[in-house]
Amino acid sequence: MAVRILSPEEYTSSTVTMVATLNRSINTRHIAEYLPVVHLFNNKGERVKLHSGTRDGINFFGRNGIIITSCYKDIRRGVRLGAMNNMICADLQILDRNVHIKISESIITSVGTCGYENGKIAFNCIIEHMNRLKENINYIKNLDEEEYNLIIKWIRKNCIDRGKLKKLSEIKLPFHLDNRAIKILLSYIDDFDEHESEEYVDKIKYLRVMDDLFEGKLNEVEPKIYNSVYHIKMCDIEKRISLHKMAPYLLDKGISTEFHNWTSEGVNICFPIDNNQDISSQNKEYKHRFTVHEKSSMRQCSPAFKEESYKYYINIMKHIKDFIDGGQKYDDFKKYVSEEPISI
């Protein structure tokens, strides 16, 4: 069983969780209600939904740069049904994958990006959506009253058939009215089912009177890494590792190690982060955490950039390699074994 230590190029994270502070406070309810959401339908015309409580992820549906979920408190728009009371839950399709974004009044968090630079792209894409939304709302507010009324009249006549609301895909745009204004207003039609025509009209009318989403413009951000997850195959051929020996072996090397045998999924190892890491702890203890599994796999969680995370990976892998190359022999493990009966 040969131990394989990854090069810096091979060492890549599976997912990265990142956080950034917005330069303006936002109106979370209005943004959750009016962010442009692309609704997805299956071949039967039914809405695609991810039910709350499921552990299934959201796939990439083939179109980058679109939002497919916007939920907040009682607002449910798009694929995801679960919501939070203190932040917007949004799903952004970007870089051929789905990235889950959480937006509070002044903080934005991303889950599911692959690497720091990709996370920045996702953050700045959602910020661009919010800036464009504000521009679109101002455009509707500044429409001439006569032009606006003509558009509403056209919508009532061409988008509602005998009281039933049409889907966006069924509507052909007119040539004689403001094209941008109609596209903005029609972007909300799939928020509603066919029997909710008046609710749809009420929603687009509110655009004319609603308060500003935020002052000025939202700037692009430089996010901080909250957590990076690495899934690592340690050996070229899968083979069982004697965790009950490896744990005390690492402990006696001065490494903080934990293994409860029958209750543990693996050997847990942790290191404190570098002192110069600029992370807001919010009463959370940040550490580089490793879990080594019996079938020679490892999971690493690190609240730091790749360069620092890699240093700790190399350090622990050298010790693991020495242990495995030495035949997984370590008789001193016996001093950590308790023979005292325990009732459970």
Side-chain angles (χ1 to χ4, degrees):
M1 178 171 57
V3 176
R4 183 169 179 268
I5 298 179
L6 300 176
S7 67
E9 293 73 27
E10 296 171 313
Y11 178 79
T12 56
S13 58
S14 303
T15 60
V16 179
T17 300
M18 298 163 58
V19 63
T21 302
L22 299 171
N23 65 308
R24 306 286 184 183
S25 294
I26 63 171
N27 186 319
T28 47
R29 172 164 283 277
H30 284 169
I31 286 179
E33 188 71 68
Y34 285 93
L35 267 177
V37 169
V38 175
H39 294 264
L40 305 173
F41 298 88
N42 61 23
N43 293 333
K44 297 179 181 179
E46 301 166 333
R47 294 180 183 273
V48 175
K49 293 290 184 183
L50 178 74
H51 293 288
S52 181
T54 179
R55 295 186 66 85
D56 295 336
I58 295 179
N59 297 326
F60 175 66
F61 292 96
R63 185 177 164 192
N64 281 303
I66 63 171
I67 298 168
I68 60 171
T69 298
S70 179
C71 295
Y72 174 70
K73 293 187 177 180
D74 57 330
I75 298 169
R76 302 288 190 281
R77 301 171 61 223
V79 173
R80 195 183 297 268
L81 296 179
M84 302 178 72
N85 287 326
N86 60 342
M87 59 182 65
I88 301 166
C89 295
D91 286 294
L92 175 67
Q93 301 268 287
I94 191 78
L95 299 170
D96 294 344
R97 67 187 299 161
N98 188 78
V99 177
H100 188 51
I101 306 282
K102 296 179 180 179
I103 312 167
S104 67
E105 186 176 310
S106 59
I107 300 293
I108 182 169
T109 305
S110 70
V111 180
T113 54
C114 185
Y116 180 77
E117 291 303 321
N118 289 348
K120 282 180 63 176
I121 292 171
F123 271 52
N124 292 324
C125 181
I126 203 80
I127 288 171
E128 182 182 347
H129 271 291
M130 291 191 284
N131 282 326
R132 190 183 305 121
L133 173 60
K134 181 179 179 180
E135 293 172 3
N136 287 342
I137 292 172
N138 287 337
Y139 188 83
I140 296 298
K141 286 181 178 180
N142 294 326
L143 269 181
D144 176 78
E145 187 72 22
E146 182 179 354
E147 176 77 5
Y148 173 76
N149 289 333
L150 285 172
I151 292 173
I152 295 296
K153 183 178 179 180
W154 181 89
I155 286 175
R156 284 192 176 277
K157 181 179 179 181
N158 294 275
C159 302
I160 303 171
D161 183 15
R162 287 174 289 185
K164 292 185 178 180
L165 197 63
K166 295 181 180 179
K167 288 187 174 71
L168 180 61
S169 59
E170 301 171 338
I171 299 169
K172 294 183 179 179
L173 299 181
F175 297 102
H176 63 289
L177 296 173
D178 189 305
N179 192 260
R180 179 181 175 184
I182 288 181
K183 285 183 177 179
I184 293 169
L185 299 179
L186 288 182
S187 68
Y188 301 107
I189 197 165
D190 284 345
D191 282 3
F192 300 89
D193 293 325
E194 62 177 19
H195 64 279
E196 297 177 313
S197 58
E198 288 307 312
E199 288 87 343
Y200 163 63
V201 174
D202 288 343
K203 177 168 183 170
I204 60 177
K205 283 185 173 180
Y206 188 66
L207 286 169
R208 295 276 281 183
V209 298
M210 68 186 298
D211 296 332
D212 285 343
L213 303 177
F214 46 84
E215 294 182 1
K217 183 179 180 180
L218 296 175
N219 295 338
E220 291 191 350
V221 294
E222 290 290 334
K224 300 172 185 176
I225 292 180
Y226 202 69
N227 191 38
S228 296
V229 178
Y230 301 81
H231 292 96
I232 299 163
K233 182 180 178 182
M234 298 191 300
C235 301
D236 52 2
I237 299 175
E238 182 182 296
K239 191 172 181 179
R240 294 188 180 278
I241 299 176
S242 300
L243 299 181
H244 67 287
K245 294 182 179 179
M246 189 186 74
Y249 174 85
L250 295 175
L251 184 66
D252 288 346
K253 297 291 183 180
I255 297 171
S256 178
T257 308
E258 177 186 75
F259 179 57
H260 293 303
N261 197 5
W262 61 277
T263 61
S264 289
E265 61 170 324
V267 173
N268 299 316
I269 303 161
C270 65
F271 300 94
I273 64 172
D274 285 356
N275 292 330
N276 61 352
Q277 282 293 303
D278 183 18
I279 297 178
S280 176
S281 65
Q282 297 182 347
N283 299 320
K284 181 175 179 179
E285 189 177 17
Y286 286 91
K287 293 183 178 181
H288 297 273
R289 301 180 188 274
F290 298 80
T291 301
V292 181
H293 300 277
E294 188 178 31
K295 294 184 178 180
S296 63
S297 65
M298 175 193 288
R299 183 175 187 267
Q300 177 183 355
C301 299
S302 292
F305 286 100
K306 174 180 175 178
E307 291 74 17
E308 182 186 342
S309 303
Y310 186 70
K311 286 192 305 183
Y312 288 93
Y313 161 75
I314 285 292
N315 180 40
I316 195 64
M317 283 300 296
K318 286 179 179 178
H319 288 297
I320 291 174
K321 178 176 170 57
D322 290 344
F323 172 74
I324 292 175
D325 289 350
Q328 303 193 52
K329 297 177 181 179
Y330 192 64
D331 290 339
D332 283 354
F333 82 91
K334 295 176 182 178
K335 66 183 179 183
Y336 296 101
V337 177
S338 172
E339 297 182 2
E340 180 180 347
I342 300 175
S343 60
I344 57 173

